[in-house]
Each structure stands twice: as structure tokens, then as C-alpha cells.
Amino acid sequence: MRSEVQLMRKNSDSKLIIFAAAGFLAFAAFAAAQTATAPDPKAVALRGAYGPYRANNDLLSYDLDIRVDPEAKAWSGKNTIRFRMLKEDARIQLDLKAHLTVEKITLDGAPLPFTREYDAVFVDFPEPLKKDSVTAIDFYFSGRASGEKDWGGITFKTDPAGRPWITTACQGSGAMTWWPNKEQQRDEVERMGLRVAVPNGLVDVSNGRFAGRTDLGDGYTRWDWEVHYPINNYNVALNIAAYVHFEDRMDGLTLDYYCLPENLEKAKVQFAQARTTIECFEKYFGPYPFPEDGYKLIEVPYAGMEHQSAVAYGNRFLNGYLERDFTGVGVSLKFDYIIIHESAHEWFGNSITAADVCDEWIHEAWATYMEGLYVEHLFGYEDAVKYLNGYRPKVKNERPIIGPPDVHYNAPQDMYFKGALFLNTLRHIVDDEAKWRTLLRGFYDRFKYQNIGSEDAFAFLNVETGLNLGPVFDQYLRRTTIPALELKLDEAAGSVSFRWKSEVPGFDMPVKAGRRGQWLTLRPSAEWQTMKTDLKKDEFEVADDLFYIDVVRID
């Protein structure tokens, strides 16, 4: 019988209509590479669409057994894939990068025929599999690193002491860059096992709860991990190094920390921020989503990544982002950006997951906005508003945040910065702190452990606010412009006229204006409206730190 968590994930009534700060620069590079040349439409469909040989089955579990050779920079293994058929059929689609080797695919020990097309692997069965039948196949594979890189598959490096340091990070490029799976976010396994064999003296830290280690007697040790919750493919991780371990506990939640031996004392100081982070996000959104698996923070040789229950950390044990004041307003250096941002994804990205990558603002806008909530939790509302507005210069407004589905849309970086500013705007549209707090918790509770689309989010927000926010969603998430509030202030007449300039029909968002600290709520539309004011031109302000808008003053 499926657990409540599994039922919530699999049986969502939602319409199924990427990177963390971790990959921030790396993901951007990946996206640029993908758009540099026009891909074959067939390759786009095989990668992005939920085609018939994906849609005909429902994943139940993965059991990944992998052996990693640091000297040869190679790996090999087997993934046992268990699934339930949703309709009778004799073929399914799995995925593995074309440069990696499919050794064989078997059912009950007998080889199955397969064909490869781009990165797709079509597996054929001797007889049609009946609807509702459960099948497990073994997919044997191998690969070898083609060069040193931080993003997209397995990276083979050495630590400062010359010891092997091997990690994975593959959001955007796909988990198929190192292991075979069903490369789609809308269908997640209900549980997963990982068994990772590495040379003696090294430690593997992966997702889930540690389940033991075994000396294989051939110079390798196998490290076993069990994931008790649904998990998306790009979150599955290997972290292999000469790690040392220390731990903490928050009530019943285990906090496990892994770092290189030389960094132990620094990690003990810096990683203490994880406790404050979890306390903050539990205050706003409810309990940590994966208590059976616990929370882990693991040192890696890149900036960071939100791997589920195994958060990757490479921020040099210093506050800010890679020692920088990331938002440039004097707030970022008060905390460790990577710990906060990547841990936020445990709620948004890992528990709540976008069914299609075209909707990954659900991951990144929320996690970036949660940075602001963390600042508010520790330092107050004014610092939070200042912090979030520090992201304004990073917004490019070149491509829409939400793109077309079924094409593996590479959303722009605006899904972080503009997305967070949009949520800050939404807070001030609601204009009721108690209602906003209730809405935050309600949103998470409604969609936790589910794969959702933008339309699911919009429907919830419209109902819970009692507002028609459709034009606001379209303006900020589907357009490359932001609304402009046009003002004409006539001091002689003691009046101000105002209207919205927006390319979205019916855009009528409320906004605060007048004297700071004594704001009035204006309700502009596309038509000019006029009201009385005793303020001079240089006294009349607009709360453009609370609403992400342009202000155009017309003489």
C-alpha cells in the first residue's frame, strides 16, 4: 500500500499542464549551449514531451547499483526500474545520453531488445504488458568522463590534498548524463535505493537515510542509502571524497554534515546556519519535508545544489555568495547564501516539483523569495524588502519566465530574480500580513509531495486571495516587460492623474503611492483617473520597492 506521501504525489488532481544558486552560472552556460544552434525537432520531442511510451507507465522505484573508478574516471552499474503499466503496451521509453553505453537490459535475467534514438532508449517486451501489471527490469550501463566539468554528469576532481573528489550535478542537462532513467519531472519514483561502490578510504554520501556499508573485499567499499520519499531524477546525487562526518539534531530531525578533514572546524561554525534556516522555513511553510531521510549538508567543489536530503555546499565556509554581497545592498554578507537558498528547495523544488521545466519558477522564484523570508526572520521586514530589491539590476526581461511545455524549455535567470520580485509584489497586493502568512502555508500544504504546473498555482492563488490575478500572472511570468505606472501631477490644481501602461488587457493591479509611511492605495486601470493631493511633485512617491513596476512621470 502506498504511503500518504506517495498517494499525494501520484494521485494529485492537479493539471499537469531549472540549477539552484548552485548551478546558477553553470546552468546558464548549459542553457546558452542548448540555444546556440537549433536542435532537431525530433530530439526536442524525445527530450521534452511526455510521449506515448512515457505516458503508458507509472514509475514505482529505482534501485541504482553503481561502481565508480576514480583512476579510470569511469563508472558502471545497473538500475532496477520498477513500474506499473497504465495501459497495455509492449514498449516503454527510458533515457541515457548517447555517448554512454547500454550494456544490456534484462527482464527476469533474459535480455530485452532495445533501440536508441538520440538520448532515448526504447525497450521492447516479447509480449504486451497488461494494464495495471507491475514489472521490474534491470538496465546495465557504463560510462567514462570526457573532461573535467562542474555540471552535467559525474565530475572527477581531486581535493587540495590530492585525494579523489567525485560529485554529480545535472539539473537541466539531466540525470541521464550519468545513469539511465525516465527523464521527466512529472513522474517520480515513490522510493529509491542507492548502492555506491568506491575505493576503500573514500566515502559516498547520497540521498536518503544511510543504510550501511560493506567491504567488498576487492579494494572497494559499498555505501548504501535508502530514499523514503518521491524524488526527481536530477536530485539523485553521488558525493565521493575522504569525508569526515559530524551531526546535530533538531527535535526528531537528524542533521548530518560532511566535509573534507581539513575543513572540519570551519564547517562546524558555518553549518550551524542550517539549523536557523530550517527553523525559519518551518515557521512559514511547516515541517521539514523529508524527516525519515533526514537533512544533510555536504561539501562539494562547486557552489552548491539542492539535492534532496543531501544539499551540496561549496560556498567556502563564508557568508554571502562566493564571498560577494550578492544583492549589493549590505545584507547578503550577514548569512551564507548557499545554505539558505539550496535548503529552501527542500520545500520548493524537491517536495513541490514542477511537472514540466517550463514552470520551474515554482522552484526558483519561491526559493529566492524564501531568502527574503529568511532575512525577515533574522533581521526584520525592512532588510528583507531591501534585500529582495537588490535583485532588480539582475533582471534582464529578455525572455518570458514561463515558456512552452513539452520542449524542455530553458527558462531564463529571471525565474529567480524577477520571480522573487513578483512574489514580493503579490504579498503587497494581498496587503494583509496574517492572510499572506496563511496563504504561504496553505500553498505549501496544498501541493507538498506533488508535481504541479503554473495553472495549478494560479488557480490556488486566485481562490485563496479572492482576486482575479490572471492579468498579474500574465504580466510578470509570461511577458518580458513590467507594468509602468504613468503619473501626471498638477500642483496648481492639487491633483494627480494616473494609469497603468501594460501590454496585458485588463491589467488593474492596486499599488501604494503618496507619502511614504502614510501610503494610499491606488487602483489604476488602463484609463486615466484623477484624485486630489496636497503633495508636491517631489513629495509624491510610489512604493516601487513593494511593487515591481516602473514609474513614469509625465510633465
Short mmCIF file of all heavy atoms in Angstrom, two decimals, residues 450-478:
data_model
loop_
_atom_site.label_atom_id
_atom_site.label_comp_id
_atom_site.label_asym_id
_atom_site.label_seq_id
_atom_site.Cartn_x
_atom_site.Cartn_y
_atom_site.Cartn_z
N GLN A 450 3.88 16.85 -4.52
CA GLN A 450 3.19 16.75 -5.79
C GLN A 450 4.02 17.39 -6.90
O GLN A 450 4.90 18.20 -6.66
CB GLN A 450 1.82 17.46 -5.72
CG GLN A 450 0.85 16.82 -4.75
CD GLN A 450 -0.47 17.55 -4.70
OE1 GLN A 450 -1.01 17.94 -5.73
NE2 GLN A 450 -0.99 17.75 -3.50
N ASN A 451 3.67 16.99 -8.14
CA ASN A 451 4.24 17.60 -9.34
C ASN A 451 3.15 18.48 -9.94
O ASN A 451 2.08 17.97 -10.30
CB ASN A 451 4.65 16.53 -10.35
CG ASN A 451 5.57 15.50 -9.73
OD1 ASN A 451 5.12 14.65 -8.95
ND2 ASN A 451 6.83 15.54 -10.07
N ILE A 452 3.40 19.77 -10.06
CA ILE A 452 2.33 20.70 -10.45
C ILE A 452 2.78 21.58 -11.61
O ILE A 452 3.97 21.64 -11.95
CB ILE A 452 1.89 21.57 -9.26
CG1 ILE A 452 2.99 22.59 -8.87
CG2 ILE A 452 1.51 20.71 -8.06
CD1 ILE A 452 2.53 23.64 -7.85
N GLY A 453 1.82 22.28 -12.18
CA GLY A 453 2.09 23.26 -13.22
C GLY A 453 1.69 24.65 -12.78
O GLY A 453 1.06 24.84 -11.72
N SER A 454 2.01 25.63 -13.58
CA SER A 454 1.67 27.02 -13.24
C SER A 454 0.18 27.20 -13.05
O SER A 454 -0.25 27.96 -12.17
CB SER A 454 2.17 27.96 -14.34
OG SER A 454 3.58 28.02 -14.36
N GLU A 455 -0.63 26.53 -13.86
CA GLU A 455 -2.07 26.71 -13.77
C GLU A 455 -2.60 26.26 -12.42
O GLU A 455 -3.56 26.82 -11.89
CB GLU A 455 -2.78 25.98 -14.91
CG GLU A 455 -2.43 26.50 -16.30
CD GLU A 455 -2.69 27.99 -16.45
OE1 GLU A 455 -3.70 28.48 -15.92
OE2 GLU A 455 -1.87 28.66 -17.10
N ASP A 456 -1.98 25.23 -11.84
CA ASP A 456 -2.37 24.79 -10.50
C ASP A 456 -2.10 25.89 -9.48
O ASP A 456 -2.92 26.19 -8.62
CB ASP A 456 -1.59 23.53 -10.10
CG ASP A 456 -1.79 22.39 -11.07
OD1 ASP A 456 -2.94 21.95 -11.22
OD2 ASP A 456 -0.81 21.95 -11.69
N ALA A 457 -0.91 26.49 -9.59
CA ALA A 457 -0.55 27.57 -8.68
C ALA A 457 -1.49 28.76 -8.84
O ALA A 457 -1.96 29.34 -7.85
CB ALA A 457 0.90 28.00 -8.92
N PHE A 458 -1.78 29.13 -10.08
CA PHE A 458 -2.63 30.29 -10.33
C PHE A 458 -4.04 30.07 -9.79
O PHE A 458 -4.64 30.97 -9.19
CB PHE A 458 -2.70 30.60 -11.83
CG PHE A 458 -1.37 30.93 -12.46
CD1 PHE A 458 -1.19 30.83 -13.84
CD2 PHE A 458 -0.29 31.34 -11.69
CE1 PHE A 458 0.01 31.14 -14.43
CE2 PHE A 458 0.93 31.64 -12.27
CZ PHE A 458 1.08 31.55 -13.64
N ALA A 459 -4.56 28.88 -10.02
CA ALA A 459 -5.92 28.59 -9.55
C ALA A 459 -6.00 28.70 -8.03
O ALA A 459 -6.94 29.28 -7.48
CB ALA A 459 -6.36 27.20 -10.01
N PHE A 460 -5.00 28.16 -7.34
CA PHE A 460 -4.99 28.24 -5.88
C PHE A 460 -4.92 29.69 -5.41
O PHE A 460 -5.68 30.11 -4.53
CB PHE A 460 -3.80 27.45 -5.33
CG PHE A 460 -3.64 27.56 -3.84
CD1 PHE A 460 -4.27 26.65 -3.00
CD2 PHE A 460 -2.88 28.57 -3.26
CE1 PHE A 460 -4.15 26.75 -1.63
CE2 PHE A 460 -2.75 28.68 -1.89
CZ PHE A 460 -3.40 27.77 -1.07
N LEU A 461 -4.03 30.47 -6.00
CA LEU A 461 -3.84 31.85 -5.55
C LEU A 461 -5.07 32.70 -5.83
O LEU A 461 -5.43 33.57 -5.03
CB LEU A 461 -2.59 32.43 -6.22
CG LEU A 461 -1.26 31.79 -5.78
CD1 LEU A 461 -0.12 32.26 -6.68
CD2 LEU A 461 -0.95 32.10 -4.32
N ASN A 462 -5.73 32.47 -6.95
CA ASN A 462 -6.97 33.21 -7.24
C ASN A 462 -8.04 32.91 -6.21
O ASN A 462 -8.71 33.81 -5.69
CB ASN A 462 -7.48 32.86 -8.64
CG ASN A 462 -6.81 33.67 -9.73
OD1 ASN A 462 -6.40 34.80 -9.52
ND2 ASN A 462 -6.69 33.07 -10.92
N VAL A 463 -8.21 31.64 -5.89
CA VAL A 463 -9.26 31.25 -4.94
C VAL A 463 -8.94 31.78 -3.55
O VAL A 463 -9.79 32.36 -2.88
CB VAL A 463 -9.41 29.71 -4.91
CG1 VAL A 463 -10.28 29.28 -3.74
CG2 VAL A 463 -10.01 29.21 -6.22
N GLU A 464 -7.70 31.59 -3.10
CA GLU A 464 -7.36 31.93 -1.72
C GLU A 464 -7.27 33.44 -1.48
O GLU A 464 -7.49 33.90 -0.36
CB GLU A 464 -6.06 31.25 -1.32
CG GLU A 464 -6.14 29.73 -1.29
CD GLU A 464 -7.22 29.21 -0.36
OE1 GLU A 464 -7.33 29.72 0.78
OE2 GLU A 464 -7.98 28.31 -0.77
N THR A 465 -6.95 34.20 -2.50
CA THR A 465 -6.93 35.66 -2.33
C THR A 465 -8.29 36.28 -2.59
O THR A 465 -8.56 37.41 -2.18
CB THR A 465 -5.91 36.32 -3.27
OG1 THR A 465 -6.28 36.05 -4.64
CG2 THR A 465 -4.50 35.82 -3.00
N GLY A 466 -9.15 35.56 -3.31
CA GLY A 466 -10.43 36.12 -3.71
C GLY A 466 -10.31 37.16 -4.81
O GLY A 466 -11.23 37.94 -5.03
N LEU A 467 -9.16 37.14 -5.51
CA LEU A 467 -8.89 38.13 -6.55
C LEU A 467 -8.74 37.44 -7.90
O LEU A 467 -8.39 36.26 -7.98
CB LEU A 467 -7.59 38.89 -6.23
CG LEU A 467 -7.54 39.63 -4.89
CD1 LEU A 467 -6.13 40.15 -4.64
CD2 LEU A 467 -8.54 40.78 -4.87
N ASN A 468 -8.98 38.21 -8.95
CA ASN A 468 -8.66 37.73 -10.30
C ASN A 468 -7.26 38.20 -10.64
O ASN A 468 -7.07 39.33 -11.10
CB ASN A 468 -9.67 38.25 -11.32
CG ASN A 468 -9.27 37.86 -12.74
OD1 ASN A 468 -8.50 36.92 -12.95
ND2 ASN A 468 -9.76 38.60 -13.72
N LEU A 469 -6.28 37.32 -10.40
CA LEU A 469 -4.89 37.70 -10.59
C LEU A 469 -4.35 37.28 -11.95
O LEU A 469 -3.15 37.42 -12.21
CB LEU A 469 -4.04 37.07 -9.48
CG LEU A 469 -4.34 37.57 -8.06
CD1 LEU A 469 -3.67 36.67 -7.03
CD2 LEU A 469 -3.87 39.01 -7.89
N GLY A 470 -5.23 36.79 -12.82
CA GLY A 470 -4.77 36.33 -14.13
C GLY A 470 -3.93 37.34 -14.88
O GLY A 470 -2.84 37.02 -15.37
N PRO A 471 -4.37 38.61 -15.01
CA PRO A 471 -3.55 39.60 -15.70
C PRO A 471 -2.20 39.85 -15.03
O PRO A 471 -1.21 40.12 -15.70
CB PRO A 471 -4.43 40.85 -15.69
CG PRO A 471 -5.83 40.34 -15.59
CD PRO A 471 -5.73 39.14 -14.71
N VAL A 472 -2.16 39.76 -13.71
CA VAL A 472 -0.89 39.94 -12.99
C VAL A 472 0.06 38.79 -13.30
O VAL A 472 1.25 39.00 -13.59
CB VAL A 472 -1.15 40.04 -11.47
CG1 VAL A 472 0.17 40.12 -10.70
CG2 VAL A 472 -2.01 41.26 -11.16
N PHE A 473 -0.45 37.55 -13.26
CA PHE A 473 0.38 36.41 -13.61
C PHE A 473 0.92 36.54 -15.04
O PHE A 473 2.11 36.29 -15.30
CB PHE A 473 -0.41 35.10 -13.49
CG PHE A 473 -0.96 34.83 -12.12
CD1 PHE A 473 -2.21 34.23 -11.96
CD2 PHE A 473 -0.24 35.16 -10.99
CE1 PHE A 473 -2.73 33.97 -10.70
CE2 PHE A 473 -0.75 34.91 -9.71
CZ PHE A 473 -1.99 34.31 -9.57
N ASP A 474 0.04 36.90 -15.96
CA ASP A 474 0.46 37.04 -17.36
C ASP A 474 1.54 38.12 -17.51
O ASP A 474 2.52 37.94 -18.24
CB ASP A 474 -0.73 37.39 -18.24
CG ASP A 474 -1.64 36.21 -18.50
OD1 ASP A 474 -1.26 35.07 -18.16
OD2 ASP A 474 -2.75 36.42 -19.04
N GLN A 475 1.35 39.24 -16.82
CA GLN A 475 2.29 40.35 -16.95
C GLN A 475 3.69 39.97 -16.47
O GLN A 475 4.69 40.23 -17.15
CB GLN A 475 1.80 41.55 -16.14
CG GLN A 475 2.73 42.75 -16.15
CD GLN A 475 2.79 43.42 -17.49
OE1 GLN A 475 1.86 44.10 -17.89
NE2 GLN A 475 3.89 43.24 -18.23
N TYR A 476 3.78 39.35 -15.32
CA TYR A 476 5.10 39.10 -14.72
C TYR A 476 5.75 37.80 -15.19
O TYR A 476 6.98 37.71 -15.23
CB TYR A 476 4.99 39.10 -13.20
CG TYR A 476 4.82 40.49 -12.62
CD1 TYR A 476 3.57 40.95 -12.21
CD2 TYR A 476 5.90 41.35 -12.53
CE1 TYR A 476 3.40 42.22 -11.70
CE2 TYR A 476 5.75 42.63 -12.01
CZ TYR A 476 4.51 43.07 -11.61
OH TYR A 476 4.35 44.34 -11.11
N LEU A 477 4.95 36.81 -15.53
CA LEU A 477 5.52 35.48 -15.81
C LEU A 477 5.49 35.11 -17.28
O LEU A 477 6.26 34.24 -17.71
CB LEU A 477 4.78 34.42 -14.99
CG LEU A 477 4.86 34.62 -13.47
CD1 LEU A 477 4.01 33.57 -12.76
CD2 LEU A 477 6.30 34.56 -12.98
N ARG A 478 4.63 35.77 -18.06
CA ARG A 478 4.52 35.40 -19.48
C ARG A 478 4.90 36.54 -20.42
O ARG A 478 4.77 36.42 -21.63
CB ARG A 478 3.09 34.94 -19.79
CG ARG A 478 2.71 33.62 -19.11
CD ARG A 478 1.44 33.05 -19.72
NE ARG A 478 1.17 31.70 -19.24
CZ ARG A 478 0.23 31.39 -18.35
NH1 ARG A 478 -0.51 32.37 -17.82
NH2 ARG A 478 0.04 30.15 -17.98
#
